[in-house]
Amino acid sequence: MNNEQYLVVVSGPSGSGKDTVVSRLMQRHPEIETSVSATTREKRPGEEEGVNYYYLTVPAFEKKIADGEILEYTRYCGNYYGTPRSEVDRRIDAGITVVLVIEVVGAGNIKRLYPGATTIFVQPPSYAELEARLRGRGTETEQAIQKRLARAVEEMGYASDYDETVVNDDADRCAEEIYQLIRRRQQAT
């Protein structure tokens, strides 16, 4: 079954608010699901297998990569994080809209594998607002903020590679705009 129109990829630089927007989208539209990622990091207290992540050993994760069972992945702080193919295929085959919130490189890989997927780039209303959001978190050093800002500028260069671009000047409005984009693209197929 070819139901790629049910796959939605949302990306944007750190500080764009993409996670908040997707959270609001799912609160208002519970028929939309996210996929559970796989990781090689240790399970934290309160986390559940298959709910927060699928917890794998490094050799098991690398075997899944080699076998084509991981659609996209990254290494962060020595651990792998990635999207299991089965998580996506199970949902789109059932006609369930599934949203992946992933980095720009991973988004390009998803689009190559699922050309009918909808890719949406979330950008902040301005660079100044992006910087204010990153600083407002109060969780990072100045060096880390500067690194994130430089990376954000680089990631913003990928916006034209996406099917759609939305500006997150208000999370609720942006979530609704994304919902309408999803509906239009699904109805067009």
Side-chain angles (χ1 to χ4, degrees), residues 4 30 38 79 95 130 137 143 150 169:
E4 293 177 0
N79 293 303
L130 176 74
R137 292 176 177 174
Q143 182 180 10
D169 52 1

Side-chain angles (χ1 to χ4, degrees), residues 21 32 35 37 47 57 72 86 104 122 130 136 151 172 181:
V21 167
I32 296 174
S35 114
S37 296
E47 291 183 338
T57 63
E72 59 80 33
S86 60
V104 294
V122 177
L130 176 74
R151 174 89 173 133
D172 291 320
L181 289 170

Side-chain angles (χ1 to χ4, degrees), residues 166-185:
V166 296
V167 176
N168 181 18
D169 52 1
D170 175 86
D172 291 320
R173 186 208 56 75
C174 190
E176 187 56 29
E177 183 178 354
I178 288 173
Y179 180 72
Q180 293 305 322
L181 289 170
I182 292 168
R183 298 281 299 145
R184 272 197 304 276
R185 289 183 63 90

Side-chain angles (χ1 to χ4, degrees), residues 13-17 121-134 149 152-153 156 166-170 173:
S14 180
S16 65
F121 192 86
V122 177
Q123 62 185 32
S126 67
Y127 181 83
E129 177 63 22
L130 176 74
E131 184 173 3
R133 289 176 184 176
L134 289 174
L149 288 169
V153 169
M156 295 291 279
V166 296
V167 176
N168 181 18
D169 52 1
D170 175 86
R173 186 208 56 75

Side-chain angles (χ1 to χ4, degrees), residues 80-140:
Y80 283 111
Y81 295 84
T83 304
R85 180 182 293 273
S86 60
E87 281 288 302
V88 170
D89 289 347
R90 176 173 56 86
R91 287 176 173 88
I92 66 173
D93 288 348
I96 297 168
T97 300
V98 60
V99 176
L100 306 179
V101 182
I102 57 178
E103 299 296 320
V104 294
V105 173
N109 195 44
I110 296 293
K111 192 66 172 181
R112 279 187 295 281
L113 294 168
Y114 299 88
T118 300
T119 56
I120 301 171
F121 192 86
V122 177
Q123 62 185 32
S126 67
Y127 181 83
E129 177 63 22
L130 176 74
E131 184 173 3
R133 289 176 184 176
L134 289 174
R135 291 185 184 285
R137 292 176 177 174
T139 58
E140 299 188 41

Side-chain angles (χ1 to χ4, degrees), residues 31-107:
E31 73 278 11
I32 296 174
E33 298 181 6
T34 57
S35 114
V36 178
S37 296
T39 186
T40 58
R41 79 159 171 75
E42 292 294 318
K43 188 185 319 181
R44 294 178 184 148
E47 291 183 338
E48 295 180 47
E49 174 75 21
V51 174
N52 301 97
Y53 286 99
Y54 293 106
Y55 301 92
L56 303 172
T57 63
V58 170
F61 197 103
E62 290 173 343
K63 180 171 182 351
K64 286 187 177 291
I65 292 170
D67 292 345
E69 295 177 32
I70 300 291
L71 295 173
E72 59 80 33
Y73 67 94
T74 190
R75 259 193 112 141
Y76 181 73
C77 294
N79 293 303
Y80 283 111
Y81 295 84
T83 304
R85 180 182 293 273
S86 60
E87 281 288 302
V88 170
D89 289 347
R90 176 173 56 86
R91 287 176 173 88
I92 66 173
D93 288 348
I96 297 168
T97 300
V98 60
V99 176
L100 306 179
V101 182
I102 57 178
E103 299 296 320
V104 294
V105 173

